[in-house]
């Protein structure tokens, strides 16, 4: 991701705004973590939120595919046992779409949710 960094660019009246893919990945990760029933991002998430967001592997757990004026987001997640996988995945799609669109102005083409694991609540 470091060498082939992609940016979302938007021309504004006062100049051009560039938003790096790392920013969009972070927004998506934080949005995922707000959904009830989510344990973490990725197949082996770190135990606390700060560690989850600062792990270098986050870019592998949330992937972006840029198109002309939109982005498709794929999220690998681990859920908590006892929650409906389908319902939590739908809420993740809604939360990520809303967060990325409202914070960046980018059109979110879709959010693919890959449930990689399930764990018992602590």
């Amino acid at each position: 991701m470091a060498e082939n960094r992609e940016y979302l660019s938007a021309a504004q009246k006062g100049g051009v705004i560039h938003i790096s893919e790392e920013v969009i990945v972070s927004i998506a990760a934080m949005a995922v973590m707000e959904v009830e029933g989510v344990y973490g991002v990725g197949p082996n998430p770190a135990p606390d939120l700060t560690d989850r967001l600062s792990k270098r592997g986050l870019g592998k757990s949330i992937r972006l595919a840029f198109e002309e004026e939109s982005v498709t987001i794929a999220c690998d997640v681990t859920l908590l046992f006892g929650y409906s996988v389908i319902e939590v995945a739908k809420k993740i799609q809604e939360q990520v779409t809303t967060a990325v669109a409202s914070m960046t102005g980018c059109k979110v083409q879709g959010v693919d949710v890959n449930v990689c694991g399930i764990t018992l609540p602590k």
Side-chain angles (χ1 to χ4, degrees), residues 7-118:
Y7 288 89
L8 173 66
S9 299
Q12 302 292 317
K13 191 174 186 178
V16 178
I17 297 172
H18 300 287
I19 304 171
S20 77
E21 65 182 59
E22 286 90 354
V23 170
I24 299 170
V25 166
S26 293
I27 292 168
M30 289 181 210
V32 168
M33 293 308 302
E34 290 180 348
V35 176
E36 185 176 348
V38 171
Y39 175 73
V41 176
N44 299 308
D48 73 39
L49 182 59
T50 304
D51 290 341
R52 289 180 204 156
L53 294 177
S54 65
K55 289 190 81 74
R56 293 178 185 222
L58 188 59
K60 294 178 183 174
S61 297
I62 296 185
R63 295 163 309 284
L64 308 176
F66 289 96
E67 295 173 23
E68 296 260 335
E69 305 234 345
S70 65
V71 64
T72 300
I73 303 167
C75 307
D76 296 342
V77 298
T78 299
L79 304 183
L80 292 169
F81 179 78
Y83 288 86
S84 166
V85 173
I86 298 299
E87 290 303 314
V88 173
K90 286 180 185 177
K91 288 178 186 172
I92 290 170
Q93 290 174 319
E94 293 167 5
Q95 189 78 9
V96 170
T97 299
T98 300
V100 171
S102 68
M103 294 181 74
T104 67
C106 180
K107 179 181 177 190
V108 178
Q109 193 69 22
V111 177
D112 300 327
V113 179
N114 305 310
V115 179
C116 299
I118 195 162

